[in-house]
Amino acid sequence: MWRKKSPKGWKGNLRPAPAGRSWEVLGAAEAMWIIMGLALLGLAAAVPSEDRKLSDKATTLAERSTTLAFNLYHAMAKDKDMENILLSPVVVASSLGLVSLGGKATTASQAKAVLSADKLNDDYVHSGLSELLSEVSNSTARNVTWKIGNRLYGPASITFAEDFVKNSKKHYNYEHSKINFRDKRSALKSINEWAAQTTDGKLPEVTKDVEKTDGALIVNAMFFKPHWDEKFHHKMVDNRGFMVTRSYTVGVPMMHRTGLYNYYDDEAEKLQVVEMPLAHKLSSMIFIMPNHVEPLERVEKLLNKEQLKTWTGKMKKRSVAISLPKVVLEVSHDLQKHLGGLGLTEAIDKTKADLSKISGKKDLYLSNVFHAAALEWDTEGNPYDADIYGREEMRNPKLFYADHPFIFMIKDTKTNSILFIGRLVRPKEVCNRAPRASCALQPLQGPGAEQEAAQENGDCMALCSSVLPNPVLCARCFDHKSSLGRASKSTAPWVNT
């Protein structure tokens, strides 16, 4: 066998020979086995996110964060001055993990208790939350836009402990910064500019003021834009009125489409539930809306983990004509008092807080927890199959016309966690209300007419009765005050009689 000296190690198909001998060439079969082994390792590393199994730690923390979602939502909904709500429970959970990481004794245990994780050891909580956050925030795998920035601001006099900085970055991807509130205007500008930069300008402001300036500030800045599994056609957008109350309306653009969606009409509770999958179908958006304009308090009293499971369990895939506000919802909450109401009392109390793991000194408390997010509803998504509009199942769609306050959630399919939960009560007025456009479609003719019309008019399949005995009507073709002549109440459940 051919041998060659190779004192500097491996080269080509060489391998170390037995002691006292030179390097020798690998046999072809042996080389092939090594190549195959490396290929398998490469395939394992390339396993898609949806195929990777979640650890028990991450699964447990996902379930606890869902409990937190409803607890915190209810705490905030009780605030009479609160209108729109927008929360990311998994991000709030990571903030509680940060408090637990930096706290000692009761201060740390309370943070875990708010997360319903007080019986779990610290390593379990931190590694579980870290994996969960990493999984759900993988916007590439989920084909959504989700920009997240987390930062802990401390007083100018603080020195952050090295271990805390390392571990908070490792588990929760937190940045750390000192801030001097002696010049409050500059301090606020710094916070808001960081948030705007983190979200590519989508969230221009976190807060206009900070009342307590002697403690630590947690700031979450986020921007989320869903990418629909089936897009809305860009031409199917017009100006409509959103009824904040029965006597007050704001003008917003509304986007419309008809498709097959999971849907449930809860006749007993007089509300509708519809689920719209997002791209890659790793998450979905769930809308819960009362049939008529009313304060959301009645529906919110029903809202909990078990009720959501009941509603989704009764859903059936059927034709639904959906109209949604095409808006950006920008909301900033200071969660300090709401988390305090759930049991986080020591960390926010200057006289009791023990956050000594943050700085090595027991001289810090949590003065603010700013949770700011922007959520954009737009038409963008995957191409839709226009051929479905010729099917029998597309006739007589249910209408989900979201022109009054509703509750929404973004639910992750793999982890079963809630990425966002909120309510839209008062959208920002962005247009003057214009008369509703009537459907411009004429009776369809020719073999390709149906597909062409679907592509051009984006699901507006208002086929005249001379073509089909049961016309397919999209939400754009209805007027919620004058549609009784065109649709039965079963088709348009929001029509007042």
Side-chain angles (χ1 to χ4, degrees), residues 413-429:
T413 306
K414 179 178 177 180
T415 65
N416 210 30
S417 58
I418 295 176
L419 308 185
F420 281 91
I421 183 171
R423 69 184 185 191
L424 181 64
V425 172
R426 184 194 294 264
K428 185 186 295 184
E429 185 160 20

Side-chain angles (χ1 to χ4, degrees), residues 205-257:
E205 185 177 86
V206 170
T207 183
K208 286 183 170 61
D209 193 19
V210 176
E211 293 182 8
K212 299 176 183 178
T213 60
D214 58 343
L217 288 76
I218 285 178
V219 182
N220 309 130
M222 292 163 285
F223 170 67
F224 189 93
K225 182 178 180 179
H227 188 89
W228 305 109
D229 182 54
E230 292 184 347
K231 67 181 180 180
F232 289 75
H233 197 285
H234 66 279
K235 291 186 178 181
M236 289 301 296
V237 179
D238 56 8
N239 297 342
R240 302 287 177 109
F242 186 97
M243 294 176 285
V244 178
T245 65
R246 289 183 179 272
S247 59
Y248 181 68
T249 301
V250 297
V252 297
M254 294 280 278
M255 52 189 186
H256 318 275
R257 84 174 312 271

Side-chain angles (χ1 to χ4, degrees), residues 259-311:
L260 296 174
Y261 295 104
N262 288 330
Y263 174 87
Y264 175 60
D265 183 0
D266 191 333
E267 295 181 355
E269 299 296 346
K270 299 178 182 178
L271 59 85
Q272 298 170 280
V273 187
V274 68
E275 181 178 26
M276 299 180 69
L278 304 186
H280 293 186
K281 297 186 178 179
L282 293 181
S283 54
S284 62
M285 189 163 254
I286 298 173
F287 295 94
I288 304 165
M289 183 177 70
N291 291 348
H292 306 288
V293 182
E294 63 174 279
L296 289 174
E297 184 178 1
R298 178 185 68 84
V299 178
E300 288 170 337
K301 286 180 179 179
L302 303 171
L303 195 62
N304 55 49
K305 197 190 312 185
E306 292 71 28
Q307 183 61 63
L308 179 64
K309 187 176 180 180
T310 298
W311 281 330

Side-chain angles (χ1 to χ4, degrees), residues 417-462:
S417 58
I418 295 176
L419 308 185
F420 281 91
I421 183 171
R423 69 184 185 191
L424 181 64
V425 172
R426 184 194 294 264
K428 185 186 295 184
E429 185 160 20
V430 293
C431 65
N432 294 319
R433 188 178 178 189
R436 299 189 179 189
S438 60
C439 185
L441 281 180
Q442 300 300 317
L444 301 180
Q445 298 175 355
E450 186 170 323
Q451 182 173 354
E452 182 179 348
Q455 292 173 344
E456 175 64 24
N457 295 281
D459 314 326
C460 186
M461 300 298 291

